[in-house]
Amino acid sequence: MAFALEGPVLDGTLVRLEPLEHRHAEDLAAAAEENRSSYGFTWVPTAAEVKGYIDAQLARATAGKLAPYAQVDRASGRAVGATAYWEPRLWPTGEGLCAIEVGYTWLAASAQGTGMNTEAKYLLFRHAFENWGVARLDLKTDARNRRCRAAIEGVGARFEGVLRNWSRSWAPGEDGLLRDSAIFSITASEWPDCRVRLEQRVAQGLERR
């Protein structure tokens, strides 16, 4: 059977990943208008852009290119950010998923540093490796984004290099320009050790709350 990219609800202790819908728009608009100083290299809609943002993500989902999520804070029940599976790559036979990327990730300023990002990555990675059986999981960011690069390495991904002029830049004042992208990955053979480290980090985060 051919693979269809559909992301299920993924439940954690801090965060619940729900397939993105327009019902999340009001919460995401509020989340996006908190302190935006950490979004210099990341595509995050303004409150006025949220409806169009959701429309665009759902269109990509309909095309089979993306499985978008709202990140919902379990404590408040409010959507505080977004993330997604995207760019699915099938095995040469066309049967089953070989690799997937996790991206389009952002969180409200108040949700950053709370452990939600770590737990969300754990949920996404676990489903990709243990349910879909991927051989590889990718992550990438603007090569200049030191904060994001450190966060990606912190969840166990390995830096593979920089692809020059790889994709659109989201940095202020760089409309129409290309960015260099730092590429990271986790392979199936690395996942068991990565899973242990992520579970430890999630547990430590819960202890601090």
Side-chain angles (χ1 to χ4, degrees):
M1 178 181 295
F3 177 80
L5 181 57
E6 296 177 352
V9 172
L10 298 173
D11 266 316
T13 302
L14 300 175
V15 65
R16 174 181 170 90
L17 300 181
E18 298 178 355
L20 182 65
E21 299 177 4
H22 279 287
R23 64 186 176 85
H24 298 114
E26 183 177 354
D27 286 351
L28 291 179
E33 289 303 320
E34 293 184 15
N35 186 337
R36 296 178 61 89
S37 62
S38 65
Y39 300 153
F41 298 105
T42 305
W43 178 39
V44 179
T46 63
E49 295 169 335
V50 164
K51 181 182 183 301
Y53 166 82
I54 295 176
D55 285 340
Q57 295 297 72
L58 295 181
R60 293 183 178 95
T62 298
K65 298 178 180 179
L66 188 81
Y69 282 101
Q71 299 199 57
V72 177
D73 179 2
R74 292 293 302 269
S76 68
R78 295 176 61 95
V80 294
T83 191
Y85 287 118
W86 72 302
E87 291 199 347
R89 300 189 297 285
L90 304 182
W91 290 100
T93 61
E95 299 293 326
L97 188 65
C98 175
I100 193 78
E101 182 167 341
V102 169
Y104 286 100
T105 300
W106 62 273
L107 280 171
S110 60
Q112 296 174 23
T114 63
M116 277 192 275
N117 177 63
T118 299
E119 187 175 55
K121 291 295 193 297
Y122 169 71
L123 295 171
L124 291 163
F125 295 177
R126 185 180 65 184
H127 184 77
F129 284 111
E130 299 181 13
N131 292 85
W132 288 336
V134 300
R136 172 189 170 95
L137 187 141
D138 301 331
L139 303 102
K140 66 176 181 282
T141 187
D142 191 305
R144 299 166 294 181
N145 193 342
R146 295 181 180 179
R147 178 175 180 172
C148 187
R149 289 178 64 160
I152 291 172
E153 290 179 334
V155 296
R158 180 178 298 184
F159 174 61
E160 294 188 329
V162 173
L163 298 179
R164 297 177 298 166
N165 288 349
W166 180 250
S167 62
R168 174 180 177 177
S169 174
W170 296 103
E174 295 186 358
D175 289 349
L177 300 181
L178 297 173
R179 75 179 195 189
D180 295 345
S181 292
I183 308 299
F184 298 80
S185 72
I186 302 168
T187 64
S189 64
E190 295 165 343
W191 169 240
D193 287 341
C194 179
R195 174 174 178 158
V196 170
R197 292 197 301 272
L198 277 172
E199 288 175 343
Q200 290 172 344
R201 287 192 59 187
V202 169
Q204 289 167 1
L206 290 172
E207 289 174 358
R208 292 195 293 268
R209 290 174 72 89

